Amino acid sequence: MKNVRIWFKKYKAAKYISHLDLNRVMTRALQHSRLPVWHTEGFNPHPFITFALPLSLGFCGVKECMDIKLTDEVSCDDIVSRLNKSLPDGIEIYNVTEPVMKAGKIAFGHFDMKMSCDSVSPEKLFMMFREMFAQEKIEVEKSSKKGTPKILDLKPDIGSYTLEKMSDYVQLDIILPAGSVNNINPVLLINALEKINNISVDYDITRLDIYNEEMKPFE
């Protein structure tokens, strides 16, 4: 039996496929591909699939992955080709490797955020972000797993970032905690800005990569 890590992109309309539905999509693709995938045992056997760090609904991802087990040798090119034939537009397998790191080692996420606002210019929106990042605290309300809201200060969790003003939007490239121990959704930064300035921001977010505690790319 061989452990395999399958790398894929999730973009276009597929970014609105929930994690549960993504699991179903991948399960059907594996079944249609007729790859020698190991199935779980029990009354309802199904292909064994695990995802390293599920992507938030509405986010694009260019370096997503899932793990499966194969009961026989299959070339990487064959796996990519057979799966892509059964996947919808916006989900694309591009590589297959052997797992190196465990999902529990993931500690950070790298995000590209493109933001605009109908009520203010990109110049003004850019300044709003600069002023917010200059504050000692960036507080936002976040619901806990029990549903109870709490006030969270995002400032200590903000890693390296680059803020740029483009012609018709503001672009933020940022690293934030991601994983089982601490996970900061980048939308919380937008929520904080909206509350401070009483505006509504449109955004397009892509997760570019994930890293371990030593900032080594997950592989």
Side-chain angles (χ1 to χ4, degrees):
M1 192 175 301
K2 182 179 180 180
N3 293 320
V4 172
R5 181 156 290 165
I6 297 174
W7 300 89
F8 64 95
K9 299 176 183 179
K10 186 168 180 270
Y11 56 102
K12 295 182 179 178
K15 68 181 182 179
Y16 298 112
I17 296 176
S18 69
H19 177 61
L20 181 60
D21 286 334
L22 176 65
N23 199 322
R24 295 186 181 118
V25 167
M26 290 301 191
T27 297
R28 287 196 296 268
L30 287 168
Q31 291 170 338
H32 292 163
S33 72
R34 299 189 178 278
L35 288 167
V37 181
W38 181 80
H39 286 60
T40 60
E41 300 174 351
F43 293 105
N44 183 30
H46 57 272
F48 173 81
I49 307 175
T50 60
F51 293 86
L53 186 64
L55 197 63
S56 297
L57 184 66
F59 287 18
C60 293
V62 297
K63 194 180 175 184
E64 302 304 300
C65 67
M66 67 176 185
D67 292 354
I68 64 171
K69 296 180 180 180
L70 296 178
T71 58
D72 201 359
E73 287 290 333
V74 183
S75 71
C76 293
D77 289 343
D78 199 22
I79 295 172
V80 171
S81 175
R82 288 162 72 171
L83 282 177
N84 277 332
K85 290 178 181 178
S86 300
L87 290 171
D89 187 38
I91 299 179
E92 177 189 350
I93 308 295
Y94 67 89
N95 196 17
V96 178
T97 63
E98 292 187 12
V100 176
M101 300 178 183
K102 294 183 178 180
K105 296 296 183 180
I106 297 172
F108 298 99
H110 184 188
F111 300 91
D112 174 76
M113 305 169 62
K114 294 179 173 64
M115 298 154 294
S116 61
C117 179
D118 291 336
S119 58
V120 300
S121 66
E123 291 81 7
K124 180 63 176 176
L125 187 62
F126 174 79
M127 292 305 300
M128 288 177 174
F129 268 104
R130 285 192 60 180
E131 291 168 1
M132 182 178 76
F133 282 131
Q135 294 179 1
E136 292 186 3
K137 292 184 177 181
I138 303 176
E139 294 185 333
V140 66
E141 189 175 275
K142 180 183 179 182
S143 296
S144 65
K145 292 182 178 180
K146 297 181 180 180
T148 306
K150 64 176 182 179
I151 301 300
L152 178 68
D153 181 12
L154 303 176
K155 186 68 180 248
D157 290 316
I158 294 177
S160 61
Y161 70 89
T162 302
L163 184 67
E164 294 184 87
K165 179 184 66 64
M166 313 305 283
S167 59
D168 55 355
Y169 62 89
V170 172
Q171 184 169 4
L172 175 62
D173 184 288
I174 190 167
I175 292 175
L176 293 168
S180 57
V181 177
N182 187 16
N183 196 314
I184 300 296
N185 191 315
V187 174
L188 290 175
L189 284 169
I190 297 173
N191 292 344
L193 185 87
E194 290 177 326
K195 184 177 180 181
I196 293 170
N197 297 280
N198 192 27
I199 59 172
S200 179
V201 175
D202 297 318
Y203 57 85
D204 184 19
I205 299 177
T206 298
R207 187 167 69 190
L208 303 175
D209 211 340
I210 46 181
Y211 309 96
N212 65 8
E213 290 184 352
E214 288 76 38
M215 291 303 296
K216 294 181 179 179
F218 184 73
E219 57 183 349

